[in-house]
Amino acid sequence: MKNIYKVSLSIFFITLFSGCEDKFIELNPLDQASVGNSFTTPDDANLAVMGVYDALQSGSYPQDMAFLTELVTDNTMVQPTRIADAGRGDLRELEFFQFTDNNSYLQSRWSRLYLGISRANLILSKIDQITFPVQTLKDQYIGEAKFLRALFYFDLVRFFGAVPLSLTEIKSADEAFVLKRTPEAEVYQAIINDLNDAATNLPITYASSNIGRATKGAAKALLAKVYLTNKQPDLALPILRELTKAPYTYRLMPTYAAAFDADNTAEAIFEIQYTSSIAGEGNPYPNFFLTNDGTAGKDIYGSTFLGNTGQGINLPTQDMFDAYEPNDARRTYSIVKYFSKQEAADVYVIYKYRGVPTSANNSEDNIPVLRYADVLLMLAEAINETNHNPIPEAYDAIDLVRVRAGLLPLPRTLTYESFKTKLLEERRVELAFENHRWFDLKRFNKAEEVLSAKGYAIKPFHLLYPIPRKEVIINPENISQNTGY
Amino acid sequence: MKNNYKRTLWVFMMGCVSHGTVLGQQIAFRNPDQKNQSSSQTAQNPDFVVNGKVTDNTGVGLPGVSVLVKGTSSGTATNADGAFTLSVPDQNSVLIFSFIGFATQEVQVKGQSNLAVTLMPDAKALEEVVVVGYGTQKKTDVTGSVTSISQDRIKDLPVSSIDQALKGQIPGMQVTQNTGSPGGGVTVRIRGNNSITAGNDPLYVIDGFPVSGGGRGQDGVPGAGNPLNTINPSDIESIDVLKDASATAIYGSRGANGVIIITTKSGKAGKGKLTFDAYTSIQQASKKLDILSAEEFAELHIESRNNGWLRNGGSPTTPNANRGRFTVSPIYFDPSQWRITDWQDEVLRTGIIQNYNLGATGGNDNVRYALSANYFENEGIILESSLKRYSFRANIDAKVNEKLSVGLRVTPSYIVNPGVNSDGHFSSGGVLGMALRMPPIISPYLPDGTYENPLALRTATTLGSIGAIDNPVAKLKEDKYDLDQGRILSNIFAEYKILDNLKFRTSFGVNGNFNRVHTFLSSKTGRAGSPPPSVPSGFASSSQELEWLNENLLTYDLDINENNQVTVIAGFSVQKNDYRFIRINGNNYPNDNVQYVAAAGVIESGTELRNQSSLLSYYGRVNYALFDRYLITATLRRDGSSRFGEQNKYGTFPSAAIAWRMSEENFIKEIPFISNLKWRLSYGISGNNSIPNYAYVPNIVTNSYVIGTGQTVVNGINAGRLANPYITWETMRSINLGVDIGILQNRLEFAVDAYKSNTDGLLLDVNIPGVSGFGTSLENIGEVENKGLEVAVNSRNLINAFKWNTTFNISFNRNKVISLGGSAGDFIDVGGSSRTAVGRPMGLFYTRVTDGIFNTIEEIKAHVPQDNNPQPGDRRFKDVNNDGKVDNNDLDFTGDPNPDFLVGFTNNFSFKGLDLNVIMNGSYGNDIYYQHPAALNLNGNVNNDFQARNRWRSPENPGSGNIPRAVYGFTTLSDVASDFYIRDASFLRLTNVTLGYNIPTAFVNKIRMQNARVYVSGQNLWILSDYIGFDPETGSGGGNPLSQGIDNGIYPMARTFTLGVNLSL
């Protein structure tokens, strides 16, 4: 009996240690924050909003955008002697309309856009748990996140058509697997809702320390573009007219050069911000767009150019060079011709982003997303589309842009169709290398016509890029492939 | 008189048969009265001298038997013939004869001046004890698959860490030395690779303390940081390797890769013993590679330029000087300018090992101690590489009273380990790769004694466009990769006898591990292909790992009756690990004078990390023996781990085993030659928790954007991954069937085990929809199977004066990937030459397939287009995928780095004072990708290995038919990964030969010592292998199961000659 007592006592003793067991094995990371404890102050919200902007700026975002909107069209091409290089198969596919669902740039574009969306969703899902002393600041953060989310979805829906729509934080892989492709109309509606909210919440301007953040004007300009793309020019028109008047202060810079030589000018509506002062925060375009040519950078920009070996993956075509009317001041600013030793011939190089990098891939220039010249051209487009006729207001808008470039106003004799054609050409040269060409061709329903005529093997199904193969393979029940692929 | 004595003993023993002593002709017992008698009569007749001889039961004299006068500390030991002479206090003194493996015997002198004593083998001592998790068991009672190695099997080996000594000794365990560098890592695999990402290292349990095996904190010091370096091999009493789930499941979520239990020596009651062991070794590289001589290199260089020029469309009549980059520099035509150098000799040297070990053991019934101090030093066979270890140990056991005993194990050690960047491709700094490729026509030093600068000679006028190889001697002498490691492992315990058969044991242990790394890249060495002077840079880092453990264990022996014996253990333990790391990077040091970060012109960056893990466990085991022949073992462990997601915090790991000692059955007992026959069957579940800390937490990482008119960089944050609350251990289910057979009084013993283990829930990155914002997520998915067969044979061939023991083991393991989790794809490629695919073993070689050499243009035209636009003399590859062209998609499985079988073969001989120990080990059927040790790129930019002599020169002179021509400046694909470079790495190695001699006791006693032994040994004396690299074993490199067997130029294994001495007094 005594033994049994001792045995039980021992067992009791040994289990006594286990009092606080669950706490003992619950350890939180010490040198890293976690989603659970990172959203408590307004400053945290600001950090998370900056994280959404970062999705625009870092990784492969800028160059992928150029490949899918410029390289694929008649604007640019891969450096001829470098197109067969190892690892350039995906660029080759884009240049010759042979792209498949396995194209890495499509996967990376899809991933980067949803990366931005997930960051926006995260702060939008967490912001209500943060106490803000000033409501306007909270509104602003919500507005910025929604503006950026709309921008990402707008790119997605234009590239891929119906895409999965998620407007809340995705917390686990399971939640991601159940999302189906959402019809385009619903995606557009979500974009419009976000932009309306953003336009309501965002300020018209910022103090100088916050210049570069999304503004009310940016949300409206993007909304107008969404309406135009969504064949609702009548809805775009009042918004665009609004942007030309007070309280907005947008204006064309006196010269085309002045619009790019400085960042965040009066013409800028929304730009991806870069600085060369810190490696990794600079614009990679000059290195990507330069020929792969040894000392080409020094030849063009002078001996200070760093990262001499360009990638040679986005050179203007002859057709692009020829698209400018004679005496167009924009050509000499945007394109430079020089003799390439590698090509043993003259080649064209994009000269618009000419900020000399302080280290390889780190140039100063911002990349414009929305610019007042774009608004003026959209205004002309909205008028022409709404009235089915270019009334004088439309000519006035487009001529502002033309005259600044040193060209004559358009003869006021154009029909709806011919004005539309002229408008597309004007957009091509005014907005060259700003990642608009593919979207413009599609919006004007001219992609097949224009590109086929120039020998591109475009087929109707190419208007939507294929959904990246991985997304279909891992989730065949919910993600179907676009037709033609 | 003598007969009466015997009879008395018999009668006495009958009464205490329960003590289980086996009776022989003479036996020992304790007479409580004798003690008093002898002590009371001390001091009379001090000069009575007793002579005698001690023999074993076969009549052979036993040397080294301890003879002690009872109740005193005076005594002696028998000489080589078993004879002794001792002065005793009086004629009635009692002498105690003790010798390991024999029953201790007390003999009353009773006035005899000449004693004949026969010692009987001690049945209990013969009955081997096996250390299992949380206790020990008689070997006959073990139901699982456990292999024990006692210290005499691993002594005398000049190794810095004990794992190196286990090569070939344990069936089912593959010990691969990744590098010959002092203190370099060793890969230990028990029964194959079970995991893809979570590690395959076994769990090491040192005196009851489970320590993490994976070397952590070496922070950029190449080939260093093996955690077992910190343990002095001569402190080790035994090593027990637990292999099947029945044995390992008691370690739950850490048991899946097998468990290695290391037990250190503890003191024994008796006369104190002071031991001194020392050895010194010299080492040499066991092999030098055959590479081209200066003349041959010059010829290759010239040929490559000429062929390149023609290939480039040049005319054969163009003068050499006008051929642009194909112009051959004058030096190649003028041997008088050459300073011929064997670069292997320049980086290799004779290595030296010194080891000194001082130990003291002893004690009485109440306090026992074992203390040791050790100094080990190894100057490696590559310049500047070395290891020094200072280590100490104190093992103390004390009985407080009849119920309570306490003990302490403390092991501080400190290692100084300046490393060298010896391994890997020269472009990442591997000096061996540099030495093998360096043009043999320049030397490391200029005539003025400064370093030659090969990187600066890469101009058309001196050496031409040779490879961007730095001077390896300068790299070795000027660049620093210093690692200091301190470890203190200590454990204090108390054991309380609650009842005679119920013990409670509690222990508290601390494992502190402190590493410091200091690196410095000198101004005298090049950087990234640019010649010196360079801007000096370096970093300092420090890591600290503190781990504490508390174990509480109840052991209950319930012998219900003679036929039903039950032992139950139940335990509870908590363990917590706290790891901190800090690093500072410096740059722009003004010069090489001060090489610490304090002198850096710019402190570039730094980081501080900290992470913790904790483990909380309950465990229990029941052993039940019925009729002493049916044995049942059941274990259960429940582990809660901080690493697991909240949905899977706890894992339960059960196992069960049964064994049938068939030899105890009467129908077997009738078969005279079978002395032991035991069947074992086990099944169990164990886990692998070596997953990253906090992997389930959706972490926040920082990013940055630019804002404001001033374009200021501002911080941002984003989630680094998705939450995964289900992350948990990898689970292994394994079954083991074994049989132990002993024949002819166990003169011949066999142990055969067959097993099959399936590990599922492998932690893999799984593709998830991009809409989540992430491309992949870490999930428990995927499955790997290992099955195999192990046979161990132990034979005592000769047991008389001339003794000869043989052990042999052979093990077969077959590894197969069952699943990689579907959405992760059906394969994982690593490093461009290895593919792990479903349905195949891990890490197969996946390369192009060669098809000889194109001899003529016609042959090229007849072949499908090949992606390098070949010309005659270039390699021909097979169009594996039959798509009408040869390119990077034409890859096939061309080799398997996993061995078909491993063998170990040991022979021990002893005769009188001489002993000879011969160990061999081998591996059969594994392949190595001979990647980089000596290139065969044939572009004339770097030196090539001997195979280049057989290169294609013309259709009439095609060489050996599988080596392309030399050509510079074009992609000839001569060194692209292909089946040509997949080589058989089977080997049989003479791992160790030791010849020892015990100096005759008579002489030893004169110099007041108990024992003295000298020995000579040689390691790695001979190898049977077709492999052309340095070593078929070092080449199997790295612990990553997905890229095994890649020889990219690794610190060669040494051949070692040792002279040693063991003294005890």
Side-chain angles (χ1 to χ4, degrees), chain B residues 2-311:
Chain B
K2 200 175 176 186
N3 279 345
N4 282 346
Y5 173 61
K6 266 194 196 170
R7 189 169 299 142
T8 317
L9 288 180
W10 269 106
V11 171
F12 180 82
M13 284 315 298
M14 295 302 277
C16 32
V17 77
S18 61
H19 287 94
T21 314
V22 173
L23 304 174
Q25 278 186 309
Q26 299 183 9
I27 49 140
F29 72 104
R30 255 165 220 220
N31 184 338
D33 297 329
Q34 270 183 343
K35 199 173 196 174
N36 299 334
Q37 285 172 15
S38 57
S39 56
S40 64
Q41 289 170 21
T42 313
Q44 300 175 14
N45 301 331
D47 290 336
F48 190 80
V49 176
V50 181
N51 293 306
K53 184 170 181 183
V54 184
T55 56
D56 66 11
N57 54 338
T58 63
V60 176
L62 286 172
V65 174
S66 155
V67 185
L68 194 65
V69 182
K70 186 162 183 175
T72 73
S73 60
S74 65
T76 183
T78 58
N79 67 12
D81 304 324
F84 69 95
T85 302
L86 185 64
S87 294
V88 297
D90 69 84
Q91 295 183 6
N92 286 321
S93 295
V94 174
L95 298 183
I96 302 171
F97 294 86
S98 61
F99 191 56
I100 195 158
F102 290 81
T104 299
Q105 196 173 139
E106 296 187 8
V107 175
Q108 211 167 350
V109 176
K110 292 187 173 169
Q112 301 173 89
S113 62
N114 211 325
L115 287 174
V117 181
T118 304
L119 291 182
M120 295 305 295
D122 184 345
K124 251 193 174 153
L126 271 186
E127 198 156 59
E128 280 183 68
V129 169
V130 173
V131 182
V132 294
Y134 305 100
T136 57
Q137 270 184 319
K138 285 188 290 181
K139 194 179 178 194
T140 49
D141 287 350
V142 169
T143 56
S145 181
V146 180
T147 305
S148 299
I149 294 280
S150 62
Q151 51 97 20
D152 58 326
R153 297 261 304 269
I154 49 178
K155 67 177 185 183
D156 301 343
L157 296 174
V159 294
S160 61
S161 77
I162 194 63
D163 41 10
Q164 296 166 17
L166 296 177
K167 264 181 218 172
Q169 304 243 25
I170 293 169
M173 180 160 127
Q174 183 178 16
V175 179
T176 311
Q177 205 160 342
N178 297 330
T179 163
S181 144
V186 172
T187 301
V188 177
R189 293 289 174 266
I190 296 173
R191 294 185 167 179
N193 285 306
N194 296 299
S195 176
I196 288 176
T197 60
N200 287 288
D201 292 328
L203 176 70
Y204 291 91
V205 179
I206 301 169
D207 286 331
F209 198 119
V211 297
S212 49
R216 193 157 66 156
Q218 50 267 46
D219 189 29
V221 174
N226 180 355
L228 289 183
N229 280 340
T230 54
I231 295 170
N232 171 11
S234 45
D235 281 342
I236 292 171
E237 175 77 33
S238 69
I239 293 173
D240 296 83
V241 180
L242 316 186
K243 295 185 287 193
D244 72 335
S246 158
T248 63
I250 195 80
Y251 288 101
S253 63
R254 295 174 292 179
N257 292 327
V259 180
I260 297 179
I261 300 182
I262 296 172
T263 308
T264 60
K265 289 172 183 164
S266 50
K268 290 175 183 61
K271 188 165 175 264
K273 195 162 104 175
L274 193 62
T275 58
F276 176 72
D277 302 297
Y279 63 77
T280 182
S281 312
I282 56 167
Q283 297 186 298
Q284 286 173 325
S286 57
K287 182 176 181 181
K288 269 173 62 186
L289 296 192
D290 182 8
I291 56 179
L292 299 186
S293 68
E295 290 80 11
E296 289 167 330
F297 172 71
E299 186 197 345
L300 176 79
H301 182 87
I302 295 166
E303 199 174 308
S304 69
R305 267 55 190 173
N306 289 342
N307 283 338
W309 172 248
L310 297 178
R311 163 106 201 226

Side-chain angles (χ1 to χ4, degrees), chain A residues 21 24 31 33 35 211 274 281, chain B residues 610 614 618 698 700 704 708 711 770:
Chain A
E21 52 179 60
F24 184 74
D31 55 12
V35 168
I211 292 290
Y274 288 101
E281 298 299 323
Chain B
R610 184 175 188 189
S614 54
Y618 305 88
I700 287 283
S704 48
Q711 303 259 283

Side-chain angles (χ1 to χ4, degrees), chain A residues 3 10 17-18 21-22 24-25 27 31-33 35 38 47 54 114-115 208 211 263 273-274 281 470-471 474, chain B residues 498-499 572 609-610 614 618 642 649-650 698-700 704-706 708-709 711 715-717 768 770 773 775:
Chain A
N3 286 354
S10 320
F17 284 93
S18 51
E21 52 179 60
D22 285 338
F24 184 74
I25 55 170
L27 297 176
D31 55 12
Q32 272 188 338
V35 168
S38 290
L47 286 170
D54 170 72
Y114 274 116
L115 176 76
S208 65
I211 292 290
D263 291 334
Q273 307 287 316
Y274 288 101
E281 298 299 323
K470 181 202 110 182
E471 304 295 330
I474 64 170
Chain B
I498 300 165
L499 301 168
F572 167 73
L609 306 174
R610 184 175 188 189
S614 54
Y618 305 88
S642 65
K649 274 282 180 209
Y650 286 90
N699 62 333
I700 287 283
S704 48
Y705 192 60
V706 176
T709 46
Q711 303 259 283
N715 284 326
I717 57 171
I768 60 169

Side-chain angles (χ1 to χ4, degrees), chain B residues 28 56 71 76 92 165 193 290 346 447 518 549 669 674 1008:
Chain B
D56 66 11
T76 183
N92 286 321
N193 285 306
D290 182 8
E346 296 296 331
H518 166 77
L549 166 74
K669 278 183 173 165
I674 295 183
R1008 299 216 151 270

Side-chain angles (χ1 to χ4, degrees), chain B residues 159-160 279 353-355 374-378 387-389:
Chain B
V159 294
S160 61
Y279 63 77
I353 299 179
Q354 298 176 68
N355 183 70
N374 170 254
Y375 174 70
F376 174 90
E377 179 183 328
N378 184 2
L387 175 98
K388 285 178 188 166
R389 178 182 56 224

Side-chain angles (χ1 to χ4, degrees), chain B residues 552-630:
Chain B
N552 305 283
L553 182 67
L554 279 172
T555 307
Y556 191 34
D557 284 312
L558 186 67
D559 294 350
I560 298 163
N561 55 43
E562 210 166 312
N563 293 328
N564 290 277
Q565 296 174 345
V566 179
T567 305
V568 182
I569 67 162
F572 167 73
S573 86
V574 286
Q575 185 163 3
K576 187 166 182 180
N577 184 304
D578 191 341
Y579 174 79
R580 293 175 186 226
F581 173 81
I582 189 161
R583 171 167 167 162
I584 311 169
N585 299 315
N587 207 340
N588 286 73
Y589 293 64
N591 51 39
D592 294 348
N593 296 347
V594 181
Q595 308 188 341
Y596 292 88
V597 174
V602 179
I603 307 254
E604 261 191 337
S605 56
T607 187
E608 183 187 11
L609 306 174
R610 184 175 188 189
N611 62 60
Q612 299 178 320
S613 65
S614 54
L615 188 71
L616 174 143
S617 315
Y618 305 88
Y619 49 86
R621 176 171 57 216
V622 179
N623 292 316
Y624 175 55
L626 176 64
F627 300 122
D628 208 20
R629 71 191 70 147
Y630 308 111

